[in-house]
Amino acid sequence: IDKDEKAVHFHKIKFDAHHPQRFVGVALETSYRDMVSKSDRLRNTSFLMTALLIVVGCVTAVFIVRRLTRPLIKLTRSADKVAEGIYDVDLPANQKGELGVLTGSFQTMIDRVRERTEKLEERSAEIAKLFRAVEQSSGIIVITDANEIIEYVNPTFVENYGYEMDEVIGKNISVLQADNMTEADYVKLWQTIRSGQEWQGEFHNQK
């Protein structure tokens, strides 16, 4: 095609709806060079607009993802701290919708875990205090399970009976049969203990 060749565009302009055969013809003459130039400009403009839309879309997507994931990352880090026993954590603030509900539920969970942990620590301290009292007691203390298996003896037991702890722990209480007690006395002793009552008496037994 000759780039200097002309192209003519003919347009009909109708001005009478009742007589469609009446119209005004407009002829526009354009060179092939101008047509190619306009086509190139249109193509370049379309390419730039497409690239701009892609960039804007990517930036918007990154912003939305970061806006959504940042609070979740914060919650995850807070959960890790709570697992380590650190309850003063920085939770996402002013969250709405499902993320706000999740944050509120997480805060409630932290408060409950903190409360239970504090109670557990108090009980542990009481148990430790009781254990020290048992260990330092001048009286002989023997703890068994429901099957009469010895689970614990205090140091005073070791001093008075001559048994080492590992010699009696895990053994039946019958190894400590007292010389001053009959079979009927033992039956009564265990009936009293199993009923939840306190038995008091003396064992005369030595290794």
Side-chain angles (χ1 to χ4, degrees):
I1 301 175
D2 186 359
K3 293 184 178 180
D4 293 327
E5 199 173 312
K6 303 292 184 178
V8 178
H9 300 277
F10 184 79
H11 298 275
K12 290 182 180 181
I13 302 176
K14 297 179 180 180
F15 57 87
D16 190 343
H18 299 288
H19 299 86
Q21 68 275 15
R22 296 179 180 179
F23 60 87
V24 174
V26 177
L28 299 175
E29 183 181 83
T30 307
S31 67
Y32 176 77
R33 189 187 302 276
D34 290 339
M35 291 175 60
V36 172
S37 177
K38 290 179 181 179
S39 177
D40 289 341
R41 285 199 301 270
L42 181 61
R43 184 172 60 251
N44 292 338
T45 301
S46 299
F47 175 78
L48 290 175
M49 290 298 295
T50 302
L52 181 61
L53 288 174
I54 292 174
V55 172
V56 171
C58 291
V59 172
T60 304
V62 170
F63 175 78
I64 292 174
V65 169
R66 291 190 64 182
R67 185 179 179 86
L68 291 175
T69 57
R70 188 177 299 169
L72 294 176
I73 293 173
K74 213 170 190 179
L75 282 175
T76 302
R77 291 175 179 171
S78 298
D80 292 338
K81 289 184 178 179
V82 172
E84 296 173 0
I86 303 172
Y87 302 110
D88 294 326
V89 295
D90 182 22
L91 296 178
N94 302 323
Q95 297 298 321
K96 298 179 180 180
E98 295 179 355
L99 193 56
V101 174
L102 179 61
T103 303
S105 299
F106 193 80
Q107 181 63 63
T108 301
M109 183 197 72
I110 292 176
D111 295 339
R112 290 179 179 174
V113 171
R114 188 204 306 265
E115 182 181 354
R116 292 178 181 177
T117 301
E118 290 174 352
K119 289 182 179 179
L120 183 60
E121 289 175 349
E122 291 175 1
R123 291 179 182 176
S124 297
E126 292 175 359
I127 292 172
K129 188 185 297 183
L130 178 61
F131 181 75
R132 287 194 299 270
V134 170
E135 287 276 291
Q136 298 169 8
S137 173
S138 59
I140 296 172
I141 299 175
V142 179
I143 299 176
T144 71
D145 63 11
N147 296 318
E148 305 177 12
I149 302 300
I150 298 174
E151 295 182 335
Y152 170 82
V153 294
N154 70 339
T156 305
F157 169 91
V158 176
E159 294 173 5
N160 283 269
Y161 281 100
Y163 290 97
E164 294 298 329
M165 288 187 179
D166 57 0
E167 290 183 281
V168 293
I169 292 178
K171 304 293 180 57
N172 192 282
I173 192 68
S174 61
V175 300
L176 304 177
Q177 290 284 359
D179 299 333
N180 64 322
M181 293 185 67
T182 64
E183 187 67 28
D185 292 330
Y186 273 103
V187 172
K188 184 177 180 180
L189 179 153
W190 283 106
Q191 285 178 344
T192 302
I193 293 176
R194 286 170 178 162
S195 66
Q197 301 178 27
E198 181 180 345
W199 179 87
Q200 294 183 356
E202 293 184 0
F203 273 91
H204 294 170
N205 185 310
Q206 193 167 10
K207 182 178 179 183

